[in-house]
Amino acid sequence: MSTTTAVQTAHHRSDGVRFEREPLVLGNPTLHDITAKIASIAEDKPTPKYLLALSFTAAIAAWGVGCILYTILTGIGVWGLNNPIGWGWDITNFVFWIGIGHAGTLISAILFLFRQKWRTAINRSAEAMTIFAVICAGLFPLIHVGRIWFAYWLIPYPNQMQMWTNFRSPLEWDVFAVSTYLTVSLIFWFLGMVPDLATLRDVVKNKVAKRLYGFFSLGWSGSMRHWHHYEMAYLILAGLSTPLVLSVHSVVSLDFTAGILPGWHTTIFPPYFVAGAIFSGFAMVMTLLVITREVLDLKELITMKHLENMNKIILATGMMVGYAYAMEFFIAQYSGNPYEAFVFINRATGDYAWAYWTMVLCNVVSPQVFWSRRLRRNIPVMFIVSILVNIGMWFERFTIIATSLHHDFLPASWGYYTPTWVEVSIFAGTIGIFLTLFLLFAKYIPVIAIAEVKAILPDAQPQHSHHGVEAPSHQVEQSTSV
Amino acid sequence: MNPYRIMLGQTPFPGQLRRLGGVLALVGIAAFIVGGLGHPQYWWGGYLLGFIYAMGLSVTLVFFSALSYLVNAGWVAAVRRIPEMLSSFVLVLPVAALPLVIGALTGNIYEWMHSSDEHLHHGFKGLYLSQPFFWARLVFYAVVWIGMHRVIVGNSLRQDDVTDITPTQRNWKLSAPFVLLYALTITFASFDLVMTLEPHWFSTIFGVYSFAGHFVASLALMLIVMRMLERGGYLAGILSREHYHDVGKLLFAFTIFWTYVAFSQYFIIWYGNLPEETVFFAKRLSNGWEIFGWASLFGHFVIPFLFLLRQDVKRQPQLVTIGALILLIAHAIDLSWVILPVFSAAPGEPYQLSWALVLTGWGAIAAMLGAVLIVASRAFARHSAVACNDPYLHESLDYHSGAYDPV
């Protein structure tokens, strides 16, 4: 399977067969090369192309924000929602964006605990996407409450009106789950960035930039004591973030399961949503990284090996999602409950069959190409599949929401829902916000975790010094010594 | 000569394992017989419990090996042979299943096989719960599992004797479809053998719930045998605290995963409060069976969570083995809670806790676990206890996390 390349060779030694893994950094760069490479991105003046891209995404974002204002000033009536479908694109988009945010935490927390060294080249950008995606997600419930100026009522606080939030509502649990997730992700992302910000502080020439990087690097000097505390904090935050990868989307899934609607109320929803979230998150990371590594010329740091590993995760989580679709369908028929059985037959053959089959084709069928190593390492193929998965995962949420609502128990109250241009514009607007934030990030924040990548260079490995000595998981190299 | 080829055939270890298995089996059989006196249905229920325990454990141990090939795990190479040896019971599963076949055919286990309830015999449910299809599925599972054992464990053993990595490469390729097949077969086996005990009840997460329990128990058994081997001094210089730490971390993680899945199932059904679903928990949280529900919560989550949370506990072989023992027992409690109540009352009657039934079931679990160890002792006698030519062995031996061990 993976032994055909020259870099992966099995050779024989006196005490058995030995297999060396593919290197994670190509081209044998020195520690200084890596600093110079990443710092140059932030140091160079923005190119006209970059400014063009930025203004394009910012224009879309502005258009979306305009439509949000229009909705708020006019009322939710400008959307296509009505009885019986009271949740449409808004909640679909909310769940979609929350899902996108899952790859970052998985990569930064779970892969860290699993000692997956390949995470170092991609964790920074994946975590950034997490934060931007959660920001986009949070917009939708806020707009959907209708009177956004009362949105602070979502937060429980003692008040003279004696009004409390409904703690029995899963929507309230979402407030806690999502805000916890955003907070911890933000802290984790920022903490991991401190040594790199200090590196930029020491490297950049621009005075304002130097001040800003200096402010955010919290006086980092790269001393042994700093590294010791940093690594302890990083490990603890990784441990704290790991349950959050599971909890956020599980709580989101309870928005549906707590309602006893056929098609929503089923026990597999929490892990099924988590698998789907990681699946869509990795697809988004793939889409953006394929472009980023090309544009910023990071091919020696984000190698084919990284992309292949991500494609394997896309294949695995895609099949978990497929497993959940199959279980839902099977149990609905097995249950003998005619309403459950109907909902699933209706999904596949009813008014929204087009959405259902789009979802199945994109999420279950398209990742199957990754069984082939050749296709796992083919840039155009992985780019197309990642786009398809993004589309498919959006349609998954839409299918779940719309099909269970449009045909419920009473045929007299059946209906059909189509979004208005306002809803479509707001969704497009959040894509604009997401991409704008990502473009700003890619330019002004170290896109690659400089210190962590240095730690996986061959020179940093314990077997390269003398055998048996423990090396810290991060290279202890003073950021000032570039 | 490869220094990592550890042949235990001439050492006392296989004999010790066989004796331990024999004692467990004898005590278990005695408890099994005594417990069921006067209540023949206790024997059927107890046997089913013991069978599910050993089946889930042994099949999942093969899955563990396949999974470690699939993800190219380096850390596991030094200890992977232990789960592989312990999984040998898979090969005798069809024999162990014979009493169940008799019990089912004589109408003593599955209510749906002899029920005249119209609801169970029409539509998709009638099709799925038809005897020919049911038996065909069981045969299919057995074929897949035995095939998986022969291929994955077989290639791992073949790697011991050759100097090229062809057998390992085969496993890299074949582990992926086998992991997929395992996911499907363990799901539907848990539906067929356990969920259909109450044929009206259904839960989409039931397959994941079963898997999570089996996986935790597999890791626990693996840790216990690691410790036995280490105490005997058989894996000196190979087994280090890093390996205990790594398996302990997985054990800890999947204990939480089990809790997450079990809680998802419980919480969603409780919150929805639909009679056709809540009946499962309502019947298991009354008339004495709630003791097992609470014991599951504490034994499978609260105690092991607090115990295994600390890094130094996971790195202490004696301590982490205590955690493993707790979880091995907790898995028995969990499965008992799901399976035994069904056999505690006549059809249609409310379930009633019976300690005689519990004794029967736990006797069967002990006897089956004994059989697992006896079968494994034969494998340990024949093959190297370390995957001595595994191409990742050097990674597994060289790894040091940098953690500080005070003791």
Side-chain angles (χ1 to χ4, degrees):
Chain A
M1 186 163 80
S2 44
T3 48
T4 41
T5 46
V7 283
Q8 283 185 306
T9 45
H11 49 90
H12 195 217
R13 54 173 192 182
S14 57
D15 55 353
V17 189
R18 197 184 171 100
F19 187 78
E20 300 295 346
R21 291 177 194 258
E22 201 175 330
L24 291 170
V25 181
L26 302 178
N28 271 326
T30 62
L31 299 177
H32 175 74
D33 291 344
I34 290 174
T35 308
K37 171 91 218 165
I38 307 300
S40 70
I41 297 169
E43 251 191 316
D44 296 346
K45 273 207 153 39
T47 59
K49 266 190 200 159
Y50 174 82
L51 292 173
L52 194 71
L54 190 66
S55 40
F56 178 67
T57 59
I60 300 173
W63 174 249
V65 171
C67 287
I68 291 174
L69 284 175
Y70 173 62
T71 305
I72 291 170
L73 295 174
T74 321
I76 298 291
V78 296
W79 291 358
L81 298 179
N82 210 329
N83 271 332
I85 299 195
W87 277 0
W89 274 46
D90 53 345
I91 303 298
T92 303
N93 298 338
F94 164 70
V95 183
F96 172 78
W97 281 119
I98 290 279
I100 298 296
H102 273 62
T105 327
L106 182 101
I107 292 170
S108 53
I110 295 187
L111 294 190
F112 177 73
L113 296 181
F114 280 177
R115 300 203 300 266
Q116 296 296 305
K117 290 180 178 164
W118 59 276
R119 66 183 269 290
T120 52
I122 54 173
N123 65 344
R124 178 68 44 76
S125 44
E127 285 174 58
M129 285 180 223
T130 295
I131 289 150
F132 305 152
V134 175
I135 290 170
C136 291
L139 283 175
F140 287 97
L142 288 182
I143 312 165
H144 194 180
V145 296
R147 294 177 292 171
I148 197 170
W149 48 95
F150 288 136
Y152 69 95
W153 285 2
L154 288 166
I155 300 158
Y157 65 98
N159 59 77
Q160 83 286 2
M161 295 180 286
Q162 294 284 305
M163 288 230 306
W164 284 93
T165 51
N166 183 1
F167 288 108
R168 286 181 293 183
S169 164
L171 303 178
E172 182 63 25
W173 309 337
D174 265 350
V175 175
F176 303 137
V178 174
S179 50
T180 310
Y181 187 57
L182 180 64
T183 313
V184 175
S185 304
L186 199 60
I187 295 174
F188 198 16
W189 184 54
F190 175 65
L191 180 88
M193 212 149 52
V194 167
D196 291 355
L197 290 175
T199 305
L200 286 189
R201 170 199 66 196
D202 299 340
V203 169
V204 291
K205 311 265 182 319
N206 182 310
K207 279 216 168 99
V208 181
K210 209 176 190 65
R211 285 240 144 176
L212 279 172
Y213 289 127
F215 177 78
F216 284 108
S217 57
L218 309 178
W220 178 268
S221 71
S223 72
M224 198 62 182
R225 180 197 282 262
H226 280 180
W227 276 110
H228 179 72
H229 289 164
Y230 167 85
E231 294 197 355
M232 195 56 80
Y234 199 87
L235 180 64
I236 290 170
L237 273 174
L240 288 175
S241 303
T242 297
L244 287 178
V245 180
L246 294 170
S247 71
V248 183
H249 233 56
S250 296
V251 171
V252 168
S253 82
L254 293 178
D255 293 346
F256 304 103
T257 51
I260 46 175
L261 217 51
W264 281 12
H265 177 74
T266 183
T267 47
I268 205 170
F269 257 41
Y272 155 37
F273 268 49
V274 172
I278 294 167
F279 181 52
S280 68
F282 267 85
M284 184 60 92
V285 173
M286 181 61 80
T287 309
L288 291 186
L289 277 192
V290 162
I291 301 172
T292 309
R293 78 194 272 274
E294 196 71 44
V295 174
L296 298 180
D297 189 26
L298 296 170
K299 289 192 197 104
E300 286 168 349
L301 296 175
I302 303 172
T303 66
M304 210 40 115
K305 178 75 191 163
H306 292 89
L307 301 179
E308 188 188 2
N309 282 350
M310 286 202 278
N311 286 332
K312 284 181 181 172
I313 292 183
I314 289 177
L315 177 61
T317 47
M319 280 192 293
M320 287 180 200
V321 170
Y323 169 92
Y325 297 162
M327 282 309 121
E328 276 189 309
F329 214 106
F330 168 78
I331 292 286
Q333 308 309 314
Y334 170 85
S335 72
N337 178 331
Y339 298 102
E340 285 283 343
F342 170 78
V343 161
F344 285 91
I345 299 291
N346 182 49
R347 268 187 196 174
T349 60
D351 294 343
Y352 286 109
W354 57 273
Y356 179 80
W357 291 108
T358 307
M359 159 191 115
V360 171
L361 282 175
C362 290
N363 293 349
V364 184
V365 179
S366 81
Q368 302 302 324
V369 299
F370 290 146
W371 282 92
S372 149
R373 174 181 154 89
R374 213 157 46 84
L375 296 178
R376 277 203 301 271
R377 290 176 161 252
N378 182 314
I379 298 276
V381 169
M382 69 178 86
F383 187 70
I384 291 167
V385 171
S386 73
I387 299 272
L388 286 177
V389 171
N390 282 316
I391 295 170
M393 283 308 293
W394 189 89
F395 272 99
E396 179 196 295
R397 282 62 176 255
F398 181 73
T399 302
I400 292 170
I401 291 171
T403 56
S404 280
L405 290 173
H406 90 297
H407 280 186
D408 62 3
F409 304 98
L410 273 181
S413 58
W414 287 2
Y416 191 80
Y417 157 83
T418 32
T420 64
W421 64 271
V422 186
E423 284 161 285
V424 180
S425 301
I426 293 177
F427 180 50
T430 53
I431 297 175
I433 295 172
F434 181 79
L435 292 177
T436 306
L437 290 171
F438 188 78
L439 281 172
L440 290 172
F441 154 79
K443 177 76 188 121
Y444 296 108
I445 289 175
V447 271
I448 302 248
I450 304 172
E452 290 189 43
V453 168
K454 286 176 183 171
I456 60 165
L457 290 178
D459 293 343
Q461 304 313 309
Q463 50 273 44
H464 276 253
S465 50
H466 54 279
H467 189 90
V469 168
E470 297 126 19
S473 54
H474 298 277
Q475 169 71 9
V476 183
E477 191 230 356
Q478 299 217 354
S479 58
T480 40
S481 65
V482 283
Chain B
M1 183 61 198
N2 189 322
Y4 302 113
R5 180 186 289 272
I6 310 287
M7 303 303 288
L8 298 178
Q10 303 304 317
T11 69
F13 182 75
Q16 285 167 355
L17 202 61
R18 194 163 51 242
R19 272 194 299 282
L20 177 66
V23 171
L24 271 174
L26 284 178
V27 173
I29 289 168
F32 177 74
I33 292 172
V34 173
L37 287 175
H39 300 277
Q41 88 261 27
Y42 288 5
W43 281 325
W44 298 117
Y47 193 86
L48 178 68
L49 174 64
F51 178 80
I52 299 289
Y53 193 89
M55 176 204 87
L57 207 55
S58 48
V59 177
T60 306
L61 286 161
V62 190
F63 161 76
F64 179 83
S65 174
L67 187 67
S68 66
Y69 278 106
L70 178 64
V71 301
N72 269 314
W75 68 273
V76 78
V79 291
R80 202 193 56 238
R81 188 53 52 76
I82 297 168
E84 287 170 351
M85 301 285 93
L86 289 169
S87 71
S88 310
F89 190 74
V90 167
L91 301 174
V92 294
L93 274 180
V95 184
L98 281 180
L100 287 184
V101 177
I102 296 165
L105 288 176
T106 52
N108 283 305
I109 298 181
Y110 296 105
E111 176 203 335
W112 59 265
M113 283 191 178
H114 55 89
S115 163
S116 55
D117 187 343
E118 186 54 28
H119 186 73
L120 297 175
H121 298 294
H122 86 276
F124 182 81
K125 191 165 210 141
L127 199 70
Y128 190 77
L129 292 183
S130 66
Q131 289 219 29
F133 190 24
F134 176 80
W135 294 116
R137 286 199 300 272
L138 295 196
V139 170
F140 175 73
Y141 306 148
V143 170
V144 168
W145 293 341
I146 291 172
M148 178 161 83
H149 184 275
R150 293 200 79 92
V151 171
I152 300 292
V153 179
N155 278 329
S156 170
L157 293 174
R158 267 187 287 282
Q159 181 66 67
D160 286 0
D161 301 323
V162 294
T163 49
D164 63 299
I165 59 165
T166 331
T168 301
Q169 279 173 310
R170 284 212 188 96
N171 269 359
W172 283 339
K173 263 200 177 75
L174 290 168
S175 54
F178 271 123
V179 163
L180 193 61
L181 275 171
Y182 167 83
L184 291 174
T185 50
I186 203 77
T187 301
F188 281 97
S190 68
F191 287 165
D192 289 342
L193 294 173
V194 183
M195 200 169 83
T196 62
L197 284 172
E198 287 163 312
H200 295 283
W201 185 77
F202 53 88
S203 169
T204 41
I205 208 174
F206 199 77
V208 187
Y209 173 61
S210 305
F211 157 74
H214 297 321
F215 196 67
V216 169
S218 307
L219 293 169
L221 184 65
M222 177 179 164
L223 263 177
I224 291 167
V225 176
M226 273 164 71
R227 175 75 184 138
M228 285 168 69
L229 280 164
E230 196 212 1
R231 273 184 68 134
Y234 300 113
L235 294 181
I238 293 169
L239 215 56
S240 75
R241 292 196 172 195
E242 303 299 346
H243 299 114
Y244 284 102
H245 191 187
D246 283 339
V247 185
K249 276 188 277 190
L250 274 182
L251 187 70
F252 177 69
F254 276 87
T255 303
I256 302 171
F257 181 73
W258 175 90
T259 313
Y260 164 66
V261 172
F263 179 74
S264 296
Q265 176 167 274
Y266 178 80
F267 181 74
I268 287 168
I269 289 176
W270 173 79
Y271 198 100
N273 205 16
L274 298 172
E276 62 187 13
E277 292 177 349
T278 50
V279 62
F280 180 86
F281 289 111
K283 286 166 114 177
R284 281 168 177 76
L285 290 172
S286 53
N287 294 336
W289 283 114
E290 66 272 17
I291 296 170
F292 277 73
W294 286 106
S296 241
L297 173 64
F298 279 90
H300 216 309
F301 176 61
V302 178
I303 296 168
F305 175 82
L306 295 174
F307 185 71
L308 291 171
L309 186 58
R310 287 182 63 111
Q311 188 187 60
D312 51 359
V313 171
K314 292 190 281 272
R315 294 182 70 83
Q316 278 276 1
Q318 314 89 297
L319 291 181
V320 75
T321 312
I322 293 173
L325 263 173
I326 294 172
L327 283 163
L328 209 54
I329 295 166
H331 183 51
I333 294 171
D334 174 38
L335 280 182
S336 304
W337 193 52
V338 172
I339 294 172
L340 289 185
V342 181
F343 295 90
S344 67
E349 300 283 311
Y351 298 158
Q352 199 76 43
L353 174 65
S354 151
W355 289 107
L357 173 60
V358 175
L359 182 69
T360 321
W362 283 48
I365 288 178
M368 285 284 185
L369 204 53
V372 167
L373 295 184
I374 292 170
V375 176
S377 74
R378 292 169 59 88
F380 272 112
R382 265 189 242 145
H383 306 290
S384 168
V386 174
C388 55
N389 261 341
D390 191 287
Y392 286 132
L393 187 61
H394 64 104
E395 286 191 12
S396 188
L397 298 174
D398 292 348
Y399 176 70
H400 296 274
S401 68
Y404 168 65
D405 296 312
V407 201

